[in-house]
mmCIF file with all atom_site columns, all heavy atoms in Angstrom:
data_model
loop_
_atom_site.group_PDB
_atom_site.id
_atom_site.type_symbol
_atom_site.label_atom_id
_atom_site.label_alt_id
_atom_site.label_comp_id
_atom_site.label_asym_id
_atom_site.label_entity_id
_atom_site.label_seq_id
_atom_site.pdbx_PDB_ins_code
_atom_site.Cartn_x
_atom_site.Cartn_y
_atom_site.Cartn_z
_atom_site.occupancy
_atom_site.B_iso_or_equiv
_atom_site.pdbx_formal_charge
_atom_site.auth_seq_id
_atom_site.auth_comp_id
_atom_site.auth_asym_id
_atom_site.auth_atom_id
_atom_site.pdbx_PDB_model_num
ATOM   1  N N   . GLY A 1 119 ? 37.502 3.042   122.964 1.00 0.00 ? 119 GLY A N   1
ATOM   2  C CA  . GLY A 1 119 ? 37.133 2.166   121.859 1.00 0.00 ? 119 GLY A CA  1
ATOM   3  C C   . GLY A 1 119 ? 35.713 1.656   121.991 1.00 0.00 ? 119 GLY A C   1
ATOM   4  O O   . GLY A 1 119 ? 34.997 1.484   120.998 1.00 0.00 ? 119 GLY A O   1
ATOM   5  N N   . THR A 1 120 ? 35.302 1.416   123.228 1.00 0.00 ? 120 THR A N   1
ATOM   6  C CA  . THR A 1 120 ? 33.931 0.966   123.483 1.00 0.00 ? 120 THR A CA  1
ATOM   7  C C   . THR A 1 120 ? 32.924 1.984   122.965 1.00 0.00 ? 120 THR A C   1
ATOM   8  O O   . THR A 1 120 ? 31.937 1.631   122.300 1.00 0.00 ? 120 THR A O   1
ATOM   9  C CB  . THR A 1 120 ? 33.732 0.754   125.005 1.00 0.00 ? 120 THR A CB  1
ATOM   10 O OG1 . THR A 1 120 ? 34.581 -0.304  125.428 1.00 0.00 ? 120 THR A OG1 1
ATOM   11 C CG2 . THR A 1 120 ? 32.295 0.439   125.350 1.00 0.00 ? 120 THR A CG2 1
ATOM   12 N N   . TYR A 1 146 ? 36.622 -8.946  119.895 1.00 0.00 ? 146 TYR A N   1
ATOM   13 C CA  . TYR A 1 146 ? 36.225 -8.090  121.011 1.00 0.00 ? 146 TYR A CA  1
ATOM   14 C C   . TYR A 1 146 ? 36.054 -6.672  120.490 1.00 0.00 ? 146 TYR A C   1
ATOM   15 O O   . TYR A 1 146 ? 36.905 -6.158  119.763 1.00 0.00 ? 146 TYR A O   1
ATOM   16 C CB  . TYR A 1 146 ? 37.297 -8.117  122.107 1.00 0.00 ? 146 TYR A CB  1
ATOM   17 C CG  . TYR A 1 146 ? 36.991 -7.209  123.280 1.00 0.00 ? 146 TYR A CG  1
ATOM   18 C CD1 . TYR A 1 146 ? 35.933 -7.484  124.150 1.00 0.00 ? 146 TYR A CD1 1
ATOM   19 C CD2 . TYR A 1 146 ? 37.768 -6.080  123.524 1.00 0.00 ? 146 TYR A CD2 1
ATOM   20 C CE1 . TYR A 1 146 ? 35.662 -6.651  125.227 1.00 0.00 ? 146 TYR A CE1 1
ATOM   21 C CE2 . TYR A 1 146 ? 37.509 -5.246  124.604 1.00 0.00 ? 146 TYR A CE2 1
ATOM   22 C CZ  . TYR A 1 146 ? 36.458 -5.535  125.454 1.00 0.00 ? 146 TYR A CZ  1
ATOM   23 O OH  . TYR A 1 146 ? 36.189 -4.716  126.519 1.00 0.00 ? 146 TYR A OH  1
ATOM   24 N N   . ASN A 1 213 ? 42.194 -10.035 119.497 1.00 0.00 ? 213 ASN A N   1
ATOM   25 C CA  . ASN A 1 213 ? 41.701 -10.207 120.863 1.00 0.00 ? 213 ASN A CA  1
ATOM   26 C C   . ASN A 1 213 ? 41.400 -11.655 121.225 1.00 0.00 ? 213 ASN A C   1
ATOM   27 O O   . ASN A 1 213 ? 40.844 -11.923 122.292 1.00 0.00 ? 213 ASN A O   1
ATOM   28 C CB  . ASN A 1 213 ? 40.464 -9.332  121.097 1.00 0.00 ? 213 ASN A CB  1
ATOM   29 C CG  . ASN A 1 213 ? 40.840 -7.875  121.359 1.00 0.00 ? 213 ASN A CG  1
ATOM   30 O OD1 . ASN A 1 213 ? 41.443 -7.565  122.367 1.00 0.00 ? 213 ASN A OD1 1
ATOM   31 N ND2 . ASN A 1 213 ? 40.516 -6.983  120.426 1.00 0.00 ? 213 ASN A ND2 1
ATOM   32 N N   . ASP A 1 241 ? 36.503 -2.774  112.772 1.00 0.00 ? 241 ASP A N   1
ATOM   33 C CA  . ASP A 1 241 ? 36.973 -2.276  114.064 1.00 0.00 ? 241 ASP A CA  1
ATOM   34 C C   . ASP A 1 241 ? 38.499 -2.303  114.058 1.00 0.00 ? 241 ASP A C   1
ATOM   35 O O   . ASP A 1 241 ? 39.112 -3.373  114.100 1.00 0.00 ? 241 ASP A O   1
ATOM   36 C CB  . ASP A 1 241 ? 36.400 -3.146  115.190 1.00 0.00 ? 241 ASP A CB  1
ATOM   37 C CG  . ASP A 1 241 ? 36.827 -2.672  116.573 1.00 0.00 ? 241 ASP A CG  1
ATOM   38 O OD1 . ASP A 1 241 ? 37.641 -1.737  116.670 1.00 0.00 ? 241 ASP A OD1 1
ATOM   39 O OD2 . ASP A 1 241 ? 36.332 -3.255  117.562 1.00 0.00 ? 241 ASP A OD2 1
ATOM   40 N N   . LYS A 1 273 ? 43.279 3.251   120.908 1.00 0.00 ? 273 LYS A N   1
ATOM   41 C CA  . LYS A 1 273 ? 44.642 2.815   121.247 1.00 0.00 ? 273 LYS A CA  1
ATOM   42 C C   . LYS A 1 273 ? 45.723 3.727   120.626 1.00 0.00 ? 273 LYS A C   1
ATOM   43 O O   . LYS A 1 273 ? 45.908 4.825   121.128 1.00 0.00 ? 273 LYS A O   1
ATOM   44 C CB  . LYS A 1 273 ? 44.809 1.338   120.933 1.00 0.00 ? 273 LYS A CB  1
ATOM   45 C CG  . LYS A 1 273 ? 43.800 0.501   121.780 1.00 0.00 ? 273 LYS A CG  1
ATOM   46 C CD  . LYS A 1 273 ? 44.053 -0.980  121.867 1.00 0.00 ? 273 LYS A CD  1
ATOM   47 C CE  . LYS A 1 273 ? 43.163 -1.609  122.926 1.00 0.00 ? 273 LYS A CE  1
ATOM   48 N NZ  . LYS A 1 273 ? 42.064 -2.409  122.447 1.00 0.00 ? 273 LYS A NZ  1
HETATM 49 C C1  . LIG B 2 .   ? 40.566 -2.452  122.907 1.00 0.00 ? 501 LIG B C1  1
HETATM 50 C C2  . LIG B 2 .   ? 39.524 -2.696  121.892 1.00 0.00 ? 501 LIG B C2  1
HETATM 51 C C3  . LIG B 2 .   ? 38.239 -2.122  121.975 1.00 0.00 ? 501 LIG B C3  1
HETATM 52 C C4  . LIG B 2 .   ? 37.785 -1.378  123.199 1.00 0.00 ? 501 LIG B C4  1
HETATM 53 O O1  . LIG B 2 .   ? 38.526 -0.213  123.417 1.00 0.00 ? 501 LIG B O1  1
HETATM 54 P P1  . LIG B 2 .   ? 38.478 0.433   124.888 1.00 0.00 ? 501 LIG B P1  1
HETATM 55 O O2  . LIG B 2 .   ? 39.235 1.716   124.717 1.00 0.00 ? 501 LIG B O2  1
HETATM 56 O O3  . LIG B 2 .   ? 39.155 -0.550  125.786 1.00 0.00 ? 501 LIG B O3  1
HETATM 57 O O4  . LIG B 2 .   ? 37.052 0.649   125.247 1.00 0.00 ? 501 LIG B O4  1
HETATM 58 C C5  . LIG B 2 .   ? 37.371 -2.287  120.927 1.00 0.00 ? 501 LIG B C5  1
HETATM 59 N N1  . LIG B 2 .   ? 37.716 -2.999  119.846 1.00 0.00 ? 501 LIG B N1  1
HETATM 60 C C6  . LIG B 2 .   ? 38.932 -3.578  119.723 1.00 0.00 ? 501 LIG B C6  1
HETATM 61 C C7  . LIG B 2 .   ? 39.266 -4.327  118.486 1.00 0.00 ? 501 LIG B C7  1
HETATM 62 C C8  . LIG B 2 .   ? 39.865 -3.458  120.750 1.00 0.00 ? 501 LIG B C8  1
HETATM 63 O O5  . LIG B 2 .   ? 41.051 -4.085  120.635 1.00 0.00 ? 501 LIG B O5  1
#
Side-chain angles (χ1 to χ4, degrees):
T120 295
Y146 178 68
N213 281 293
D241 181 355
K273 299 195 169 107

